[in-house]
Amino acid sequence: MRFWLSRLAGITANQMLMVAVGWHMYDLTSSAWDLGLVGLFQFVPALVMTLPAGHVADRHHRARIFAISLFAQACVAGLLLWATETGHASRTLILALSVVLGLARSFQMPAQQALTPLLVPSRLLQQAIALSSSGMEIAVICGPALGGLLYTLGAAAVYLTCATLLTVAAALALTVRYAFAPGTHSRSWRDIFAGLHFVWERKVLLGATTLDLFAVLLGGATALLPIFARDILHTGPVGLGLLRAAPAVGALSMSLVLTRWPLERRVGPRLLAAVAVFGLATLVFGLSSSFWLSMLALAATGAADNISVVTRLTLTQLETPDDMRGRVAAVNSIFIGASNQLGEFESGFTAALFGAVGSVVLGGVGSMLIAALWVRLFPSLARRDRMSHDAPAP
């Protein structure tokens, strides 16, 4: 529970911090290019350092790595608070601290993913991941709204709140105990890249991971929501906020369902079906001219994506030995980051060619085709019955 609360506080603060940093940068420069640079300066160091971070997570105490990552982000919030209060806030400072945030998150993600299986029995892992996902979705829904509300009092109010929450989250993480055995593998490049080799050799993991990558890459419509809100659904900023929250609401609802009723049989077919439903719901959203139908379709994409996420993470944790979990989690983090970032680029590129509706419709159809193609490319995934091969027969 302390680990869950630590993650909840940390993600909420992180979401608030992203809102504040974006607004603060735009207040300083009024440049859309600089807003893009904030994201880029976080993404590139995270991409470069994630595999070494996974190696570190397999050699050292994961709860302490997680805590240090949170405290580093608390320090960033504290520096931004100081800079805001003293008049030293600048474009250069925000970009430099964005690099620190990216580095901190590159170590945070593998450590927190690899820590979960050590805290719960394997038979409860799926419910634990679903519960963890529910906390993340609550943070994703509430964090930006709270950050925007506090920003009306000034950027300093947000930075102070973020620094406090992140410090509390780090302190909670330090109280997490598990049976720690230091890793014995070397610091060679071969060991650093061992996670990639491990996933490549296990087709169930490769299929599940790449399925999520391509589905999100093709089917993500988030980057185009402002266009749909203003030009197609004819709603204002409030409507845009509701549209952005709809997938998280769907994901939260599904995570609560999976916590109570976890998937026990036909895991592979249901994973593939969830991706197909994600594509179908994306297609419906692209063709909809009704605000409420669009909301429902986006909520369905979030629910279907949550099934995919929980199933993929559970399979990954159960198929991976503990001394490899950090490096495999690092590979998973790279795929997630690539699908989200490149998905936004793909949406913008195809929207420029075919329009916003055409882009989303093509993405939805593409996601359904990917689900069908993966049945043939990864038959072991399509035939997978239970999460664990060791699960008892009914």
Side-chain angles (χ1 to χ4, degrees), residues 304-349:
D305 184 58
N306 186 261
I307 294 175
S308 174
V309 169
V310 171
T311 302
R312 171 172 51 80
L313 290 178
T314 305
L315 282 172
T316 300
Q317 301 289 18
L318 291 175
E319 292 283 321
T320 307
D322 181 62
D323 64 349
M324 285 289 299
R325 283 192 175 122
R327 284 166 287 177
V328 171
V331 174
N332 184 58
S333 298
I334 290 176
F335 275 78
I336 291 172
S339 63
N340 290 331
Q341 299 290 333
L342 295 179
E344 292 183 3
F345 173 76
E346 181 272 339
S347 294
F349 178 74

Short mmCIF file of all heavy atoms in Angstrom, two decimals, residues 304-349:
data_model
loop_
_atom_site.label_atom_id
_atom_site.label_comp_id
_atom_site.label_asym_id
_atom_site.label_seq_id
_atom_site.Cartn_x
_atom_site.Cartn_y
_atom_site.Cartn_z
N ALA A 304 -10.23 -0.42 -23.43
CA ALA A 304 -9.57 -1.47 -24.20
C ALA A 304 -8.06 -1.41 -24.02
O ALA A 304 -7.39 -2.44 -23.88
CB ALA A 304 -9.94 -1.34 -25.68
N ASP A 305 -7.51 -0.20 -24.02
CA ASP A 305 -6.07 -0.05 -23.84
C ASP A 305 -5.64 -0.52 -22.47
O ASP A 305 -4.55 -1.09 -22.31
CB ASP A 305 -5.67 1.41 -24.06
CG ASP A 305 -4.17 1.62 -23.99
OD1 ASP A 305 -3.45 0.97 -24.77
OD2 ASP A 305 -3.71 2.41 -23.15
N ASN A 306 -6.49 -0.33 -21.46
CA ASN A 306 -6.14 -0.78 -20.11
C ASN A 306 -6.06 -2.30 -20.05
O ASN A 306 -5.18 -2.84 -19.37
CB ASN A 306 -7.17 -0.26 -19.11
CG ASN A 306 -6.79 -0.58 -17.68
OD1 ASN A 306 -7.28 -1.54 -17.10
ND2 ASN A 306 -5.90 0.21 -17.11
N ILE A 307 -6.95 -3.00 -20.74
CA ILE A 307 -6.86 -4.46 -20.80
C ILE A 307 -5.52 -4.86 -21.40
O ILE A 307 -4.82 -5.75 -20.91
CB ILE A 307 -8.01 -5.04 -21.63
CG1 ILE A 307 -9.35 -4.80 -20.94
CG2 ILE A 307 -7.81 -6.54 -21.87
CD1 ILE A 307 -10.56 -5.23 -21.76
N SER A 308 -5.14 -4.18 -22.48
CA SER A 308 -3.87 -4.46 -23.14
C SER A 308 -2.69 -4.20 -22.20
O SER A 308 -1.77 -5.03 -22.09
CB SER A 308 -3.74 -3.60 -24.41
OG SER A 308 -2.47 -3.75 -25.00
N VAL A 309 -2.71 -3.08 -21.51
CA VAL A 309 -1.59 -2.70 -20.63
C VAL A 309 -1.45 -3.68 -19.47
O VAL A 309 -0.36 -4.19 -19.18
CB VAL A 309 -1.79 -1.27 -20.10
CG1 VAL A 309 -0.80 -0.97 -18.98
CG2 VAL A 309 -1.63 -0.26 -21.23
N VAL A 310 -2.57 -3.97 -18.79
CA VAL A 310 -2.52 -4.87 -17.63
C VAL A 310 -2.09 -6.27 -18.06
O VAL A 310 -1.26 -6.90 -17.41
CB VAL A 310 -3.89 -4.91 -16.93
CG1 VAL A 310 -3.92 -6.01 -15.86
CG2 VAL A 310 -4.20 -3.57 -16.28
N THR A 311 -2.63 -6.75 -19.17
CA THR A 311 -2.27 -8.10 -19.66
C THR A 311 -0.81 -8.15 -20.05
O THR A 311 -0.08 -9.09 -19.69
CB THR A 311 -3.15 -8.48 -20.86
OG1 THR A 311 -4.53 -8.42 -20.48
CG2 THR A 311 -2.83 -9.89 -21.34
N ARG A 312 -0.35 -7.13 -20.79
CA ARG A 312 1.05 -7.13 -21.24
C ARG A 312 2.01 -7.07 -20.05
O ARG A 312 3.00 -7.82 -20.00
CB ARG A 312 1.29 -5.94 -22.17
CG ARG A 312 2.74 -5.70 -22.52
CD ARG A 312 2.87 -4.63 -23.58
NE ARG A 312 2.14 -3.42 -23.26
CZ ARG A 312 2.56 -2.47 -22.44
NH1 ARG A 312 3.74 -2.60 -21.83
NH2 ARG A 312 1.84 -1.39 -22.22
N LEU A 313 1.74 -6.19 -19.10
CA LEU A 313 2.63 -6.06 -17.95
C LEU A 313 2.63 -7.33 -17.10
O LEU A 313 3.68 -7.76 -16.59
CB LEU A 313 2.24 -4.85 -17.10
CG LEU A 313 2.51 -3.48 -17.72
CD1 LEU A 313 2.02 -2.38 -16.80
CD2 LEU A 313 4.00 -3.30 -18.01
N THR A 314 1.46 -7.94 -16.93
CA THR A 314 1.39 -9.17 -16.13
C THR A 314 2.15 -10.30 -16.80
O THR A 314 2.93 -11.02 -16.16
CB THR A 314 -0.08 -9.58 -15.91
OG1 THR A 314 -0.82 -8.50 -15.32
CG2 THR A 314 -0.16 -10.78 -14.98
N LEU A 315 1.93 -10.49 -18.11
CA LEU A 315 2.67 -11.52 -18.84
C LEU A 315 4.17 -11.28 -18.74
O LEU A 315 4.95 -12.21 -18.53
CB LEU A 315 2.24 -11.52 -20.31
CG LEU A 315 0.91 -12.19 -20.64
CD1 LEU A 315 0.55 -11.92 -22.11
CD2 LEU A 315 0.97 -13.69 -20.38
N THR A 316 4.58 -10.02 -18.91
CA THR A 316 6.00 -9.69 -18.87
C THR A 316 6.61 -10.03 -17.52
O THR A 316 7.69 -10.63 -17.44
CB THR A 316 6.22 -8.20 -19.19
OG1 THR A 316 5.70 -7.92 -20.50
CG2 THR A 316 7.68 -7.84 -19.13
N GLN A 317 5.91 -9.65 -16.44
CA GLN A 317 6.46 -9.90 -15.10
C GLN A 317 6.52 -11.39 -14.79
O GLN A 317 7.48 -11.87 -14.18
CB GLN A 317 5.61 -9.18 -14.05
CG GLN A 317 5.52 -7.67 -14.22
CD GLN A 317 6.82 -6.96 -13.90
OE1 GLN A 317 7.88 -7.57 -13.86
NE2 GLN A 317 6.76 -5.66 -13.70
N LEU A 318 5.50 -12.15 -15.21
CA LEU A 318 5.46 -13.57 -14.90
C LEU A 318 6.45 -14.38 -15.76
O LEU A 318 6.94 -15.42 -15.33
CB LEU A 318 4.05 -14.12 -15.10
CG LEU A 318 3.00 -13.63 -14.09
CD1 LEU A 318 1.62 -14.13 -14.47
CD2 LEU A 318 3.35 -14.08 -12.67
N GLU A 319 6.74 -13.90 -16.96
CA GLU A 319 7.66 -14.62 -17.85
C GLU A 319 9.12 -14.25 -17.62
O GLU A 319 10.02 -14.90 -18.17
CB GLU A 319 7.30 -14.29 -19.31
CG GLU A 319 5.97 -14.84 -19.78
CD GLU A 319 6.04 -16.34 -20.08
OE1 GLU A 319 7.05 -16.78 -20.63
OE2 GLU A 319 5.08 -17.05 -19.74
N THR A 320 9.37 -13.23 -16.80
CA THR A 320 10.73 -12.72 -16.64
C THR A 320 11.28 -13.07 -15.27
O THR A 320 10.64 -12.80 -14.25
CB THR A 320 10.75 -11.18 -16.79
OG1 THR A 320 10.12 -10.83 -18.03
CG2 THR A 320 12.16 -10.65 -16.78
N PRO A 321 12.47 -13.68 -15.19
CA PRO A 321 13.09 -13.93 -13.88
C PRO A 321 13.45 -12.62 -13.20
O PRO A 321 13.70 -11.61 -13.86
CB PRO A 321 14.34 -14.75 -14.23
CG PRO A 321 14.62 -14.43 -15.66
CD PRO A 321 13.29 -14.17 -16.30
N ASP A 322 13.51 -12.66 -11.88
CA ASP A 322 13.68 -11.40 -11.14
C ASP A 322 14.96 -10.68 -11.50
O ASP A 322 14.98 -9.45 -11.56
CB ASP A 322 13.66 -11.69 -9.63
CG ASP A 322 13.81 -10.42 -8.82
OD1 ASP A 322 12.94 -9.54 -8.93
OD2 ASP A 322 14.83 -10.29 -8.11
N ASP A 323 16.04 -11.40 -11.77
CA ASP A 323 17.30 -10.72 -12.05
C ASP A 323 17.34 -10.07 -13.43
O ASP A 323 18.31 -9.41 -13.79
CB ASP A 323 18.48 -11.69 -11.90
CG ASP A 323 18.44 -12.82 -12.92
OD1 ASP A 323 17.41 -12.99 -13.61
OD2 ASP A 323 19.45 -13.54 -13.05
N MET A 324 16.23 -10.22 -14.22
CA MET A 324 16.13 -9.59 -15.53
C MET A 324 15.03 -8.54 -15.59
O MET A 324 14.90 -7.83 -16.58
CB MET A 324 15.84 -10.65 -16.60
CG MET A 324 17.01 -11.51 -16.99
SD MET A 324 18.24 -10.59 -17.94
CE MET A 324 17.26 -10.10 -19.36
N ARG A 325 14.24 -8.42 -14.53
CA ARG A 325 13.03 -7.60 -14.61
C ARG A 325 13.32 -6.12 -14.85
O ARG A 325 12.57 -5.45 -15.55
CB ARG A 325 12.18 -7.76 -13.34
CG ARG A 325 11.40 -9.07 -13.31
CD ARG A 325 10.37 -9.08 -12.20
NE ARG A 325 9.56 -10.28 -12.26
CZ ARG A 325 9.45 -11.16 -11.28
NH1 ARG A 325 10.12 -10.98 -10.15
NH2 ARG A 325 8.66 -12.22 -11.41
N GLY A 326 14.38 -5.61 -14.29
CA GLY A 326 14.71 -4.20 -14.50
C GLY A 326 15.02 -3.92 -15.96
O GLY A 326 14.53 -2.95 -16.54
N ARG A 327 15.84 -4.79 -16.58
CA ARG A 327 16.21 -4.57 -17.97
C ARG A 327 15.05 -4.80 -18.93
O ARG A 327 14.89 -4.08 -19.92
CB ARG A 327 17.40 -5.47 -18.32
CG ARG A 327 18.73 -4.97 -17.74
CD ARG A 327 19.81 -6.01 -17.79
NE ARG A 327 19.59 -7.06 -16.81
CZ ARG A 327 20.36 -8.13 -16.69
NH1 ARG A 327 21.41 -8.28 -17.49
NH2 ARG A 327 20.10 -9.03 -15.77
N VAL A 328 14.20 -5.78 -18.63
CA VAL A 328 13.02 -5.99 -19.47
C VAL A 328 12.02 -4.85 -19.29
O VAL A 328 11.40 -4.39 -20.25
CB VAL A 328 12.37 -7.36 -19.13
CG1 VAL A 328 11.02 -7.51 -19.83
CG2 VAL A 328 13.30 -8.50 -19.53
N ALA A 329 11.88 -4.35 -18.05
CA ALA A 329 11.01 -3.19 -17.82
C ALA A 329 11.53 -1.97 -18.57
O ALA A 329 10.75 -1.14 -19.05
CB ALA A 329 10.92 -2.88 -16.32
N ALA A 330 12.86 -1.85 -18.69
CA ALA A 330 13.44 -0.74 -19.44
C ALA A 330 13.06 -0.84 -20.92
O ALA A 330 12.74 0.17 -21.56
CB ALA A 330 14.96 -0.75 -19.28
N VAL A 331 13.10 -2.04 -21.48
CA VAL A 331 12.67 -2.24 -22.87
C VAL A 331 11.22 -1.83 -23.02
O VAL A 331 10.83 -1.14 -23.98
CB VAL A 331 12.87 -3.71 -23.29
CG1 VAL A 331 12.30 -3.95 -24.69
CG2 VAL A 331 14.35 -4.07 -23.25
N ASN A 332 10.39 -2.24 -22.07
CA ASN A 332 8.97 -1.88 -22.10
C ASN A 332 8.80 -0.37 -22.05
O ASN A 332 7.96 0.19 -22.76
CB ASN A 332 8.26 -2.54 -20.93
CG ASN A 332 6.78 -2.32 -20.93
OD1 ASN A 332 6.08 -2.65 -21.89
ND2 ASN A 332 6.26 -1.75 -19.85
N SER A 333 9.59 0.31 -21.22
CA SER A 333 9.50 1.77 -21.12
C SER A 333 9.86 2.45 -22.43
O SER A 333 9.23 3.44 -22.82
CB SER A 333 10.44 2.27 -20.01
OG SER A 333 10.07 1.76 -18.75
N ILE A 334 10.87 1.92 -23.13
CA ILE A 334 11.25 2.49 -24.42
C ILE A 334 10.11 2.35 -25.42
O ILE A 334 9.78 3.28 -26.16
CB ILE A 334 12.53 1.81 -24.95
CG1 ILE A 334 13.74 2.22 -24.10
CG2 ILE A 334 12.77 2.16 -26.41
CD1 ILE A 334 15.02 1.53 -24.48
N PHE A 335 9.48 1.17 -25.45
CA PHE A 335 8.38 0.95 -26.38
C PHE A 335 7.22 1.88 -26.08
O PHE A 335 6.59 2.43 -26.99
CB PHE A 335 7.93 -0.50 -26.33
CG PHE A 335 8.72 -1.42 -27.21
CD1 PHE A 335 9.98 -1.87 -26.83
CD2 PHE A 335 8.23 -1.83 -28.43
CE1 PHE A 335 10.72 -2.70 -27.64
CE2 PHE A 335 8.96 -2.69 -29.26
CZ PHE A 335 10.21 -3.12 -28.86
N ILE A 336 6.91 2.07 -24.79
CA ILE A 336 5.82 2.96 -24.42
C ILE A 336 6.12 4.39 -24.84
O ILE A 336 5.29 5.08 -25.45
CB ILE A 336 5.56 2.90 -22.89
CG1 ILE A 336 5.00 1.53 -22.51
CG2 ILE A 336 4.59 3.99 -22.47
CD1 ILE A 336 4.91 1.33 -21.01
N GLY A 337 7.35 4.85 -24.51
CA GLY A 337 7.73 6.21 -24.89
C GLY A 337 7.72 6.43 -26.38
O GLY A 337 7.23 7.44 -26.88
N ALA A 338 8.24 5.44 -27.14
CA ALA A 338 8.28 5.57 -28.59
C ALA A 338 6.88 5.61 -29.18
O ALA A 338 6.58 6.40 -30.08
CB ALA A 338 9.08 4.42 -29.19
N SER A 339 5.98 4.74 -28.67
CA SER A 339 4.63 4.71 -29.23
C SER A 339 3.88 6.01 -28.96
O SER A 339 3.18 6.52 -29.84
CB SER A 339 3.84 3.52 -28.65
OG SER A 339 3.67 3.66 -27.24
N ASN A 340 4.05 6.58 -27.78
CA ASN A 340 3.35 7.83 -27.46
C ASN A 340 3.90 9.00 -28.26
O ASN A 340 3.15 9.78 -28.85
CB ASN A 340 3.45 8.12 -25.96
CG ASN A 340 2.63 7.16 -25.13
OD1 ASN A 340 1.61 6.65 -25.58
ND2 ASN A 340 3.05 6.90 -23.91
N GLN A 341 5.22 9.15 -28.27
CA GLN A 341 5.84 10.28 -28.95
C GLN A 341 5.69 10.17 -30.47
O GLN A 341 5.28 11.11 -31.13
CB GLN A 341 7.32 10.37 -28.57
CG GLN A 341 7.58 10.58 -27.10
CD GLN A 341 7.18 11.97 -26.63
OE1 GLN A 341 7.18 12.91 -27.41
NE2 GLN A 341 6.85 12.09 -25.36
N LEU A 342 6.02 9.00 -31.01
CA LEU A 342 5.91 8.82 -32.46
C LEU A 342 4.46 8.78 -32.90
O LEU A 342 4.14 9.16 -34.04
CB LEU A 342 6.63 7.53 -32.88
CG LEU A 342 8.14 7.52 -32.68
CD1 LEU A 342 8.73 6.17 -33.11
CD2 LEU A 342 8.80 8.65 -33.46
N GLY A 343 3.57 8.33 -32.01
CA GLY A 343 2.14 8.34 -32.34
C GLY A 343 1.61 9.74 -32.56
O GLY A 343 0.80 9.98 -33.46
N GLU A 344 2.08 10.68 -31.73
CA GLU A 344 1.66 12.07 -31.93
C GLU A 344 2.19 12.61 -33.26
O GLU A 344 1.48 13.32 -33.98
CB GLU A 344 2.17 12.92 -30.76
CG GLU A 344 1.49 12.60 -29.44
CD GLU A 344 1.97 13.51 -28.32
OE1 GLU A 344 2.78 14.42 -28.62
OE2 GLU A 344 1.54 13.33 -27.17
N PHE A 345 3.43 12.23 -33.59
CA PHE A 345 3.99 12.67 -34.88
C PHE A 345 3.22 12.06 -36.04
O PHE A 345 2.90 12.74 -37.02
CB PHE A 345 5.47 12.27 -34.96
CG PHE A 345 6.07 12.52 -36.31
CD1 PHE A 345 6.42 13.80 -36.71
CD2 PHE A 345 6.29 11.47 -37.20
CE1 PHE A 345 6.97 14.04 -37.97
CE2 PHE A 345 6.84 11.69 -38.45
CZ PHE A 345 7.18 12.98 -38.83
N GLU A 346 2.91 10.75 -35.93
CA GLU A 346 2.17 10.08 -37.00
C GLU A 346 0.80 10.70 -37.20
O GLU A 346 0.34 10.91 -38.34
CB GLU A 346 2.02 8.59 -36.66
CG GLU A 346 1.29 7.76 -37.70
CD GLU A 346 -0.21 7.73 -37.51
OE1 GLU A 346 -0.66 8.02 -36.38
OE2 GLU A 346 -0.93 7.45 -38.50
N SER A 347 0.12 11.04 -36.09
CA SER A 347 -1.20 11.67 -36.20
C SER A 347 -1.11 13.01 -36.91
O SER A 347 -1.93 13.32 -37.79
CB SER A 347 -1.80 11.85 -34.80
OG SER A 347 -2.06 10.60 -34.20
N GLY A 348 -0.12 13.82 -36.53
CA GLY A 348 0.03 15.11 -37.17
C GLY A 348 0.39 14.99 -38.64
O GLY A 348 -0.12 15.73 -39.49
N PHE A 349 1.26 14.03 -38.98
CA PHE A 349 1.70 13.85 -40.36
C PHE A 349 0.54 13.41 -41.25
O PHE A 349 0.31 13.97 -42.33
CB PHE A 349 2.83 12.82 -40.41
CG PHE A 349 3.33 12.53 -41.80
CD1 PHE A 349 4.12 13.44 -42.47
CD2 PHE A 349 3.00 11.33 -42.43
CE1 PHE A 349 4.58 13.18 -43.75
CE2 PHE A 349 3.45 11.06 -43.70
CZ PHE A 349 4.24 11.98 -44.37
#
